[in-house]
Amino acid sequence: MVTIKSKSEIAKMREAGRLLALVHEEMAKHIKPGISTMELNDIGDKMIRSFGCIPSFLNYNGYPASICISVNDRVVHGIPSREEILKEGDIVSLDAGLIYQGYHSDAARTYGVGKISKEAEDLIRVTKESFFEGIKYAKAGNHLHDISAAIEDYVVAHGYSCVRDLVGHGIGTAMHEDPSIPNYRQKRRGIRLQPGMTLAIEPMVNMGDWPICILDDEWTIVTEDGSLAAHYENTIVITEGEPEILSMIKE
């Protein structure tokens, strides 16, 4: 069942999103060759707890860290390690969530490590832009899968593919709520959007083909063809007008 959040619930989710955006900004400052993925996890975990919040991901269905950190061909759910050291030319996706007064926020970003290739830059840029193409349709009265179609159309037009086995989701007092939000076209238009719906929209884009596979750790998802992958996500709320992005710092 898709829940409609009250004004007081949205206020809590707005603060959860603001705090999470600050966490992402801090982690991004430390991305450089020579840092381990576990060091980035520790930075994010410490900051989340400094706000009096709880990391959403830690121990979620057994996940062993606070931040999902996925390098190069890893799409999502990469497990941080002190042995995994970022190097010049890598790209790294940071997916983080926190719980503030019982309400979740969820957001992901992909960054280059030092100087990266033009091809990697373009992948990261298009993945981010596809999110914004999608939320042009995140308005009351439109249908959920209008968002999905806009994301895939933009991604495919740039020569990439959208992962099909993983989707965005509703969010609130649980990290994953209804509805599921595919990043690719559907035969049906999906539910009609209403003010008060809170959604985590998250394009996951592969430079090559869309199939993925899971590693032996039973968490890390990688591209089947070994191509690079990027991830961009924000928590949003449907309003009477334009959607509000909760997990970005307003400039």
Side-chain angles (χ1 to χ4, degrees):
M1 182 180 71
V2 179
T3 61
I4 303 297
K5 309 303 191 298
S6 67
K7 288 183 178 180
S8 63
E9 289 178 306
I10 291 169
K12 291 178 181 178
M13 294 190 68
R14 185 177 290 118
E15 181 63 4
R18 185 186 74 84
L19 295 174
L20 183 58
L22 292 174
V23 172
H24 268 289
E25 286 191 350
E26 183 62 26
M27 290 191 296
K29 294 176 185 176
H30 296 270
I31 294 174
K32 60 183 179 181
I35 193 169
S36 74
T37 53
M38 184 58 80
E39 286 177 278
L40 288 173
N41 175 85
D42 292 346
I43 290 164
D45 177 270
K46 182 178 179 180
M47 193 167 184
I48 289 170
R49 295 180 191 280
S50 76
F51 294 140
C53 297
I54 300 168
S56 297
F57 297 169
L58 183 61
N59 298 320
Y60 182 81
N61 290 336
Y63 184 75
S66 295
I67 314 295
C68 294
I69 304 182
S70 305
V71 181
N72 294 334
D73 65 338
R74 298 174 202 175
V75 183
V76 288
H77 304 163
I79 299 174
S81 167
R82 302 217 180 274
E83 285 69 51
E84 182 175 39
I85 308 299
L86 297 183
K87 63 182 186 300
E88 188 93 11
D90 285 340
I91 66 172
V92 57
S93 298
L94 306 180
D95 188 2
L98 61 77
I99 307 169
Y100 169 80
Q101 294 187 10
Y103 287 83
H104 290 257
S105 59
D106 192 2
R109 310 281 188 261
T110 302
Y111 302 97
V113 181
K115 182 175 178 56
I116 63 174
S117 69
K118 176 65 163 52
E119 291 78 11
E121 285 181 355
D122 289 345
L123 174 67
I124 293 170
R125 174 181 54 80
V126 169
T127 301
K128 180 177 180 179
E129 289 172 350
S130 73
F131 166 87
F132 288 97
E133 289 297 313
I135 68 165
K136 289 178 181 178
Y137 298 88
K139 299 178 182 179
N142 286 348
H143 290 261
L144 181 70
H145 295 158
D146 296 340
I147 299 171
S148 307
I151 290 172
E152 184 180 46
D153 288 352
Y154 192 80
V155 167
V156 170
H158 286 81
Y160 307 128
S161 62
C162 289
V163 171
R164 290 174 171 254
D165 298 319
L166 303 164
V167 297
H169 50 92
I171 186 170
T173 54
M175 182 162 59
H176 295 111
E177 297 183 352
D178 289 335
S180 295
I181 309 169
N183 296 305
Y184 54 94
R185 279 190 169 273
Q186 303 291 294
K187 292 182 178 178
R188 298 185 179 184
R189 295 187 70 192
I191 62 171
R192 192 177 294 275
L193 299 174
Q194 300 177 47
M197 289 181 175
T198 47
L199 310 172
I201 297 172
E202 51 176 321
M204 289 159 274
V205 178
N206 294 348
M207 187 176 284
D209 206 354
W210 63 264
I212 56 175
C213 53
I214 188 167
L215 298 186
D216 290 342
D217 62 19
E218 299 184 349
W219 277 106
T220 306
I221 303 292
V222 300
T223 59
E224 192 172 272
D225 60 11
S227 62
L228 294 179
H231 185 198
Y232 188 84
E233 176 185 20
N234 280 303
T235 300
I236 73 165
V237 60
I238 305 299
T239 73
E240 296 286 356
E242 295 294 322
E244 181 183 353
I245 302 174
L246 301 179
S247 51
M248 287 181 68
I249 301 297
K250 296 179 176 62
E251 298 181 355

